[in-house]
Amino acid sequence: MGRPRILILGGTSEARLLAEALAARDDCDVLLSLAGRTEKPAMQPVPVRIGGFGGAAALADFLRAGGYDLLIDATHPFAERISANAAFAAETTGIAAIALRRPEWQRVAGDRWRGVQSIPAAIEALGPFPRHVFLATGRQGAYHAEAAPQHYYLVRSVDSVEPALALDNVEYILERGPFTLDGECDLLRRHDIDAIVAKNSGGAATYAKIEAARLLGIEVMMVARAPASIVKAVDTVEAALAAIDHLFPPAMKRGV
């Protein structure tokens, strides 16, 4: 066969690193697809398309029309809809598929985690009495806080929360990780935070807030991931590269 054509569904640091590694090998054609939810996405090492596909069937059509040989789902661990669409499209087309999923964070001694299944459940778990809450779920889930207006919320996101939340006691921070432990401890102390709402995203870029919570004895409402899709999953870029070499041995031999 000719050079394998690979579609990466991205938006994560792992997707960018995988694209970098494949671009350096120069033995396959790669297109990186971004959902377009971030206003100023980071520079990428391969050609990029931005925007959704219009559903699972449309993604399958895109794969067929483009003659793709492999679909790699390297989206955020909480991007459940696109991951489900990717699994459907791969099964429908018969195209090989891999999910690149960073491992979940694991509870260690000193963590005060309360496991919850969703952001609304996390907001409810904060309880009826006013608290100082660091809402670190990104802008798309932030509006769930409106169900509990008694709390103070510190909301951090890459892009602005628009429209602004219908809350009297809320502050916004626009920042992109990675974050440092010292910086997160300072942030939590400065705002008298006594609870954090976070998704179990895994990875190093945003783990500092979890470490800071442990050091400061702050409770974390940890939102669990949805059950994994049926697509074969790997948890590192290196494992994804090995899986690609297994699928396309000629590409491995051509690599210099």
Side-chain angles (χ1 to χ4, degrees):
M1 64 179 291
R3 289 162 63 92
R5 289 179 58 77
I6 300 174
L7 176 63
I8 301 175
L9 306 178
T12 59
S13 57
E14 290 82 9
R16 181 178 53 78
L17 291 171
L18 177 60
E20 263 178 19
L22 291 172
R25 286 167 34 149
D26 194 30
D27 60 1
C28 54
D29 296 322
V30 179
L31 177 65
L32 178 61
S33 177
L34 303 176
R37 293 194 178 110
T38 301
E39 292 171 7
K40 296 178 181 177
M43 291 294 291
Q44 303 292 342
V46 297
V48 172
R49 75 174 291 280
I50 294 179
F53 292 92
L59 174 55
D61 290 342
F62 184 90
L63 291 167
R64 286 193 198 95
Y68 286 94
D69 303 292
L70 175 63
L71 174 63
I72 300 177
D73 176 11
T75 57
H76 191 276
F78 281 83
E80 291 103 342
R81 183 179 301 169
I82 186 61
S83 291
N85 289 350
F88 174 90
E91 187 174 7
T92 300
T93 59
I95 291 170
I98 301 168
L100 175 53
R101 287 281 176 271
R102 64 183 85 136
E104 291 180 305
W105 295 321
Q106 299 297 321
R107 187 192 305 257
V108 302
D111 282 330
R112 295 180 57 209
W113 291 9
R114 192 183 307 191
V116 292
Q117 297 303 309
S118 65
I119 297 174
I123 298 298
E124 185 176 354
L126 292 169
F129 300 108
R131 303 182 72 170
H132 280 226
V133 181
F134 181 28
L135 192 60
T137 60
R139 63 173 178 162
Q140 292 195 300
Y143 70 91
H144 290 296
E146 293 176 350
Q150 70 271 28
H151 308 299
Y152 159 84
Y153 293 99
L154 177 65
V155 180
R156 182 166 69 193
S157 57
V158 175
D159 297 315
S160 300
V161 178
E162 294 178 358
L165 302 181
L167 294 167
D168 292 331
N169 208 2
V170 59
E171 289 186 61
Y172 302 94
I173 305 174
L174 295 182
E175 282 184 322
R176 185 195 299 268
F179 303 102
T180 67
L181 178 58
D182 286 347
E184 297 292 70
C185 284
D186 179 64
L187 179 73
L188 297 175
R189 288 193 186 103
R190 199 166 65 244
H191 293 273
D192 294 323
I193 298 298
D194 59 53
I196 297 175
V197 176
K199 297 174 179 177
N200 195 333
S201 301
T206 61
Y207 185 62
K209 66 176 175 283
I210 307 303
E211 291 184 285
R214 184 186 311 135
L215 284 172
L216 300 176
I218 294 172
E219 185 176 29
V220 178
M221 308 302 172
M222 186 64 79
V223 181
R225 296 182 187 180
S229 73
I230 57 172
V231 173
K232 174 190 174 182
V234 295
D235 59 12
T236 65
V237 171
E238 293 74 22
L241 292 170
I244 293 167
D245 286 340
H246 179 74
L247 286 166
F248 307 111
M252 178 173 63
K253 292 171 187 171
R254 286 198 305 270
V256 294

